[in-house]
Amino acid sequence: MPIDARWRLRPVTGLDAAVASLFLILSLCTTPPTFAAETIERPSKWIGRVAASDAAFGWPGSGFALRFEGTSLYVTLIDNGQNSLEIELDGVPQGLDLQAGQHRYQLADGLQRGVHNVRATRRTEGWVGDTTFVSAETDGSFLPAEASAEEMVAIGDSITAGYGVEGVGPGCKFTPGTENQYLTYAAVAARSLGMELTTLAVSGIGLSRARKGTKTMLDVIDNGTLLRGGAPGLPDERVSTVVINLGTNDFSDGKNPDDFGGEYAKLLSRLRYQFPKAYLYAALGPMMPQKDFDTAEKAIKAVVQTSVAKGESRLRYLNLRVKPKDFGCNWHPSRSTQATMADLLEQAIKADRGRHG
């Protein structure tokens, strides 16, 4: 099903439950097959960075995967009513707008009995509020979700979070409903390459400064969710690719921060420790005037060149300053621009795979 042809899933109301109960009674009056039913309080697989001990997920693109054998699936979630999820049922995506409070959502019903896979990931970013997983139910049984062989990490600002990508043009103001991490360059490239993706992105953030508040990416990069603390990441050899797209907020408005290079070097050092086998892409673009872009690009290239001179062999600069055909909200990349960026990232990854094996 194409992404444009979306429908909205909805929570199960009291009337829905009554109708479902009546349907069940009528079904039992005929020749009802009997199946086991199962409820779980944690998914077998979390997607992206989550606060697993609290069953909370807040980073854009974070969520959970469920694999079950049955015909129906319900999940119970807690939310503030401003977030939305991308639900992929057997590979078909559709949107789910969450309601305030604790609600039970029907994600699948009337399926052919067999094994089915569901992925639920946040379209919205962390400052909108965390979402909590309470339980999942099926009329059959749950199976372990399939593990991914290769993983990508994307670190960035509003561009990587998907700010305004669903908007109708540069004049529209941001709302959570126009944000969609699923359509970002990193998400599109990861799906095309068969990689699982972890997105650590916050609108307005930089390495030397942020548009709102005082926290920078190095302040929050280890958090379980943007709103919850965390612990420093341990080495993870499953991650093969890390793309960094920071600098837009640092160098905007003609700024040229003196500490940007040092902070970028700290980030690269931390990422190399945490992802010892990953290829690192120091990316930039596309949302900057040419003068600001040139200044930021020069600073990032200098850090990359210094690292390479010290022996770093899996790091390179990646120019993502594509020419947009249209825009999302507040001049942010549209779907088409994000798709073009995804092509550039995918081509770079394939080329470096060929060189390094």
Side-chain angles (χ1 to χ4, degrees):
M1 174 182 176
I3 295 175
D4 288 335
R6 294 180 180 276
W7 65 88
R8 292 294 177 188
L9 298 171
R10 57 192 174 85
V12 178
T13 64
L15 179 59
D16 292 328
V19 172
S21 299
L22 177 60
F23 178 79
L24 179 60
I25 293 171
L26 294 176
S27 298
L28 291 172
C29 292
T30 57
T31 54
T34 56
F35 300 110
E38 186 176 0
T39 299
I40 57 173
E41 294 182 355
R42 290 289 190 278
S44 62
K45 177 183 176 181
W46 291 107
I47 298 172
R49 176 77 61 76
V50 302
S53 60
D54 297 324
F57 51 106
W59 288 104
S62 64
F64 56 89
L66 295 168
R67 190 165 181 253
F68 66 100
E69 185 171 12
T71 68
S72 65
L73 176 69
Y74 294 81
V75 297
T76 300
L77 306 171
I78 299 174
D79 193 78
N80 62 13
Q82 297 186 63
N83 288 297
S84 60
L85 306 180
E86 196 73 28
I87 307 297
E88 297 171 84
L89 172 58
D90 293 332
V92 179
Q94 51 191 304
L96 171 60
D97 293 326
L98 300 181
Q99 295 190 356
Q102 179 170 314
H103 290 277
R104 184 170 176 258
Y105 300 88
Q106 178 182 303
L107 301 189
D109 191 36
L111 302 177
Q112 182 176 353
R113 181 160 290 274
V115 177
H116 300 281
N117 293 282
V118 168
R119 290 170 55 88
T121 52
R122 285 175 60 104
R123 299 174 64 185
T124 41
E125 61 180 294
W127 61 263
V128 179
D130 291 344
T131 304
T132 302
F133 182 98
V134 177
S135 64
E137 311 161 50
T138 179
D139 62 342
S141 59
F142 286 100
L143 305 170
E146 296 177 347
S148 55
E150 211 170 349
E151 298 186 15
M152 177 192 297
V153 176
I155 301 167
D157 48 38
S158 57
I159 299 167
T160 307
Y163 179 115
V165 68
E166 298 263 38
V168 296
C172 75
K173 296 184 180 300
F174 172 83
T175 64
T178 62
E179 188 167 50
N180 192 347
Q181 180 273 346
Y182 188 83
L183 299 177
T184 61
Y185 67 96
V188 173
R191 285 195 299 276
S192 179
L193 294 166
M195 294 179 171
E196 193 68 86
L197 176 65
T198 294
T199 297
L200 306 174
V202 186
S203 291
I205 206 163
L207 277 169
S208 61
R209 66 184 185 124
R211 285 188 175 274
K212 293 181 179 180
T214 58
K215 291 186 176 180
T216 66
M217 180 54 73
L218 285 171
D219 294 323
V220 301
I221 195 170
D222 292 321
N223 287 8
T225 74
L226 181 64
L227 305 178
R228 300 168 190 246
L234 298 174
D236 187 347
E237 296 186 351
R238 295 171 300 174
V239 176
S240 63
T241 303
V242 178
V243 55
I244 308 152
N245 192 352
L246 291 169
T248 298
N249 294 303
D250 298 271
F251 290 88
S252 62
D253 305 322
K255 297 290 193 300
N256 188 359
D258 295 334
D259 57 344
F260 178 81
E263 296 301 292
Y264 209 106
K266 288 179 186 177
L267 176 63
L268 291 179
S269 178
R270 179 182 295 199
L271 295 175
R272 176 50 70 216
Y273 167 77
Q274 190 171 357
F275 310 116
K277 293 186 176 181
Y279 206 102
L280 309 180
Y281 295 91
L284 183 65
M287 238 186 95
M288 301 176 77
Q290 187 66 56
K291 183 178 179 181
D292 289 346
F293 180 86
D294 291 343
T295 305
E297 181 183 57
K298 182 179 179 180
I300 293 173
K301 281 185 173 181
V303 177
V304 170
Q305 290 166 1
T306 299
S307 297
V308 171
K310 292 179 179 179
E312 175 61 71
S313 61
R314 291 175 178 256
L315 166 67
R316 75 174 169 103
Y317 170 72
L318 180 61
N319 187 332
L320 293 180
R321 194 172 190 267
V322 303
K323 186 175 181 179
K325 296 180 181 178
D326 51 14
F327 296 92
C329 293
N330 291 336
W331 302 97
H332 280 71
S334 64
R335 296 186 190 196
S336 63
T337 303
Q338 292 275 8
T340 302
M341 295 166 63
D343 288 341
L344 292 176
L345 176 59
E346 185 176 349
Q347 290 169 18
I349 293 170
K350 287 180 177 179
D352 291 322
R353 277 178 169 178
R355 280 194 291 268
H356 291 274

